[in-house]
Amino acid sequence: LDLLEPIIMPALMRDVQASGNISFEIVPAADNKMLKQKLNDGSIELIVADYQSHINDTASEPLGPVEPVIIARKGHPKINGEITKELFSELGHVAIYSDVWGRARIVEVLERLNMRRNIVYTVTRFWSFPNIVATTDLIAIVPAKFAKAMEEFYPLQTLPLPFTVPD
């Protein structure tokens, strides 16, 4: 939920606050076996994750499309309103750890286009991106809704990818 938390939780909490009988617990969702057990024993009723679950005997559907974009600090000295494929490959990237990153199709697209990313820093949480990118000349690929939410708090600019990622 790291990625979705700033997007959906504030509105959700405002909507359910008045009821008084609903509570939320944010937990790491790495263990599908544990999640399935908790769903079956009734200790949890809903899982909201930043990836589609592959737990047998459960229904899973995406909340919506994920449009990847690039974030960079405002005033980045090498970015003038767009990022070309060459600049994309040249600039240093902050990336999410591969266990999370593997859920995205970006890696496959880059391989097909024979493009590379200059990954200089790898993190385990999407929340690490905004501060690192806003205070360095590194760039990152994040979902557009996450980028928009972070622009309210950090001096970031959002730019389209210089290539197309299929749904």
Side-chain angles (χ1 to χ4, degrees), residues 77-138:
K78 292 189 175 185
I79 298 173
N80 190 19
E82 72 172 333
I83 294 183
T84 63
K85 288 180 181 179
E86 295 77 19
L87 188 56
F88 176 88
S89 294
E90 174 191 328
L91 293 174
H93 290 242
V94 180
I96 196 76
Y97 180 67
S98 64
D99 282 357
V100 177
W101 183 252
R103 299 179 189 131
R105 300 197 64 198
I106 304 279
V107 174
E108 295 169 15
V109 172
L110 291 173
E111 287 174 357
R112 191 179 71 243
L113 295 172
N114 199 27
M115 290 178 63
R116 69 171 194 84
R117 292 174 72 207
N118 180 18
I119 298 173
V120 298
Y121 188 49
T122 303
V123 298
T124 57
R125 297 175 45 96
F126 280 98
W127 274 100
S128 300
F129 285 167
N131 190 54
I132 294 163
V133 171
T135 58
T136 67
D137 287 338
L138 301 176

Side-chain angles (χ1 to χ4, degrees), residues 1-163:
L1 188 63
D2 178 46
L3 178 60
L4 297 172
E5 191 172 17
I7 299 165
I8 65 170
M9 291 310 293
L12 186 59
M13 294 306 299
R14 282 191 300 274
D15 288 349
V16 301
Q17 218 168 3
S19 76
N21 334 347
I22 299 174
S23 64
F24 294 90
E25 179 181 1
I26 307 300
V27 298
D31 183 355
N32 280 350
K33 184 177 179 182
M34 179 270 301
L35 292 175
K36 181 179 179 177
Q37 179 183 345
K38 287 181 173 276
L39 279 170
N40 287 334
D41 71 19
S43 58
I44 60 174
E45 296 179 21
L46 173 70
I47 298 170
V48 179
D50 54 4
Y51 60 93
Q52 193 153 0
S53 174
H54 299 287
I55 302 173
N56 295 337
D57 304 330
T58 62
S60 175
E61 65 181 77
L63 293 174
V66 176
E67 176 195 354
V69 296
I70 295 171
I71 55 172
R73 74 175 174 92
K74 285 185 177 175
H76 191 293
K78 292 189 175 185
I79 298 173
N80 190 19
E82 72 172 333
I83 294 183
T84 63
K85 288 180 181 179
E86 295 77 19
L87 188 56
F88 176 88
S89 294
E90 174 191 328
L91 293 174
H93 290 242
V94 180
I96 196 76
Y97 180 67
S98 64
D99 282 357
V100 177
W101 183 252
R103 299 179 189 131
R105 300 197 64 198
I106 304 279
V107 174
E108 295 169 15
V109 172
L110 291 173
E111 287 174 357
R112 191 179 71 243
L113 295 172
N114 199 27
M115 290 178 63
R116 69 171 194 84
R117 292 174 72 207
N118 180 18
I119 298 173
V120 298
Y121 188 49
T122 303
V123 298
T124 57
R125 297 175 45 96
F126 280 98
W127 274 100
S128 300
F129 285 167
N131 190 54
I132 294 163
V133 171
T135 58
T136 67
D137 287 338
L138 301 176
I139 63 172
I141 300 172
V142 299
K145 289 183 180 182
F146 183 79
K148 182 175 175 153
M150 293 301 98
E151 282 182 343
E152 293 183 34
F153 305 102
Y154 295 92
L156 297 169
Q157 59 180 313
T158 300
L159 303 143
L161 293 171
F163 50 86

